[in-house]
Amino acid sequence: MKFLLVFTICSQIHGNCIPPMVHDKHFDSHYECATTGYGMAKEMMADFGQDYVERNQIVIGFKCKAGSEI
């Protein structure tokens, strides 16, 4: 079964989220998808920078959509 990684980035200050972003790679396992998601979310937070994240209270969520959900 293949998995697709989907990110949602939200601002808790503004109470909104940008439209979900889909990673361009299909993963062969949930584990591979989830561990990639955690790593990429951490990188995104670092790229945004501490000031921006603090000012907008940014949170990043993700899910791994499986087989028939893709």
Side-chain angles (χ1 to χ4, degrees):
M1 181 179 310
K2 297 286 187 178
F3 293 86
L4 191 61
L5 180 57
V6 182
F7 288 99
T8 303
I9 302 171
C10 303
S11 168
Q12 295 183 136
I13 290 286
H14 302 291
N16 61 2
C17 302
I18 64 171
M21 300 182 326
V22 178
H23 190 277
D24 58 353
K25 178 182 176 190
H26 286 80
F27 297 92
D28 292 326
S29 70
H30 179 266
Y31 178 84
E32 182 183 7
C33 178
T35 56
T36 299
Y38 284 116
M40 289 184 69
K42 183 178 179 183
E43 287 178 20
M44 283 188 254
M45 293 292 270
D47 289 345
F48 287 140
Q50 184 174 350
D51 290 340
Y52 181 81
V53 170
E54 289 288 339
R55 194 170 51 252
N56 295 286
Q57 293 184 3
I58 299 298
V59 292
I60 300 174
F62 69 88
K63 61 183 171 182
C64 295
K65 295 178 81 171
S68 62
E69 298 178 61
I70 298 175

